[in-house]
Amino acid sequence: MGGIILSACTPGSNQFTPKEMVHKVLAAEEETNVAYYGESTTVTKENETEVERFVMKEWRDGTGKIRVEIEGNKEEPISISVNDGSSLISYEPKQKQALIMDDREMLALNQPSPMDQVNFILEQISKTHEISMGKEQKVAGRQTQHVIAKPKAKDQLYGRQELWIDKENWIVLKMKATIGNQTVETEYNQINFEADIADEKYSLKLPKDVEVKNMNELNPNRKVTLEEAR
């Protein structure tokens, strides 16, 4: 799959043709259906000082079933989200609150696939950034293609973006965004595309003292654009 991005390079140069790149990435979207277990760490820094760090654990079966657990510095769960393919439960243990969503269109937007994430980012920066190829690197033991996007003008919304994309499965294994004095970096520490995940992992039994709200019933009259929903 990584060859699709590589073929967008201009011969004899490491520069992308943005329109070709986005077209080829979008054309590959329907071919991507990846199952895996992964753990990643996200670190936010301001003026090189770390201000936030969390770990995300993901289980994906490749058909729409997803479980995501986010842990803070003390390895305590901040949130647990489980999508069984027909509904999504988002649970915050400390707040003793849970949101349930069963609207299929909103489900797809709420937990986008890795390919969806790559598509969205590339669509946004293809016209506003100079995009080039960096050196191939290994991330989480896998070969990745390094994509560098530098803004053409100052004060661009997305700042400088760097993506390390798995050459086989199109997962963004590492991402670094620099906007002003803030840097956000996410990197997979491990990822297993052959993980044996029990179906029970995609279900969640809530404690009796949890307040449950249905997201379909929250502010039902407000219309939002696709961009706001993303």
Side-chain angles (χ1 to χ4, degrees):
M1 195 65 71
I4 296 172
I5 265 194
L6 294 176
S7 64
C9 290
T10 302
S13 168
N14 68 345
Q15 293 294 317
F16 275 112
T17 301
K19 288 184 179 180
E20 289 182 352
M21 179 187 64
V22 171
H23 173 75
K24 291 177 183 294
V25 173
L26 293 174
E29 181 177 8
E30 294 182 0
E31 302 175 16
T32 305
N33 194 17
V34 183
Y36 65 89
Y37 168 73
E39 291 186 16
S40 61
T41 300
T42 297
V43 178
T44 301
K45 293 181 179 180
E46 292 183 3
N47 295 318
E48 299 300 321
T49 300
E50 184 176 316
V51 295
E52 185 181 36
R53 176 185 292 263
F54 64 84
V55 173
M56 182 171 69
K57 300 178 179 179
E58 297 171 79
W59 295 260
R60 293 178 181 262
D61 79 337
T63 69
K65 293 182 179 180
I66 307 166
R67 183 186 183 101
V68 176
E69 297 181 4
I70 297 178
E71 299 177 350
N73 293 334
K74 298 181 180 179
E75 297 186 355
E76 296 177 350
I78 297 174
S79 68
I80 302 172
S81 298
V82 176
N83 184 341
D84 64 4
S86 59
S87 65
L88 168 70
I89 300 176
S90 182
Y91 170 45
E92 296 181 346
K94 284 188 177 181
Q95 283 70 34
K96 296 183 178 181
Q97 293 181 343
L99 293 175
I100 296 178
M101 178 192 301
D102 54 19
D103 184 292
R104 289 191 175 276
E105 290 186 5
M106 289 303 295
L107 279 176
L109 290 171
N110 191 270
Q111 290 183 305
S113 71
M115 194 64 178
D116 290 334
Q117 296 171 42
V118 173
N119 288 344
F120 180 72
I121 294 167
L122 293 179
E123 284 178 328
Q124 302 306 307
I125 65 179
S126 63
K127 295 181 180 180
T128 59
H129 289 58
E130 294 287 349
I131 302 174
S132 62
M133 302 285 284
K135 294 182 179 179
E136 293 185 13
Q137 298 178 23
K138 279 196 172 182
V139 178
R142 298 184 61 84
Q143 202 68 27
T144 68
Q145 181 61 60
H146 184 193
V147 177
I148 304 166
K150 299 179 181 179
K152 295 178 182 178
K154 292 182 179 180
D155 302 321
Q156 286 285 352
L157 176 63
Y158 290 95
R160 176 188 170 98
Q161 298 280 337
E162 294 183 68
L163 305 173
W164 286 260
I165 302 174
D166 187 296
K167 293 185 67 177
E168 181 183 357
N169 294 301
W170 281 92
I171 303 291
V172 178
L173 293 180
K174 183 178 178 181
M175 181 175 179
K176 184 177 181 180
T178 303
I179 305 173
N181 63 358
Q182 185 179 78
T183 300
V184 181
E185 185 170 324
T186 298
E187 181 173 356
Y188 276 88
N189 314 109
Q190 60 173 293
I191 191 161
N192 184 358
F193 294 102
E194 298 179 358
D196 184 13
I197 304 172
D199 199 53
E200 290 78 13
K201 202 69 181 177
Y202 302 108
S203 63
L204 181 62
K205 187 175 181 180
L206 297 171
K208 293 182 179 179
D209 61 346
V210 172
E211 179 185 7
V212 179
K213 295 181 180 180
N214 192 316
M215 291 187 70
N216 301 334
E217 299 172 358
L218 299 178
N219 200 7
N221 295 321
R222 178 172 181 256
K223 293 183 179 181
V224 298
T225 65
L226 181 61
E227 207 63 21
E228 288 176 317
R230 280 179 168 172

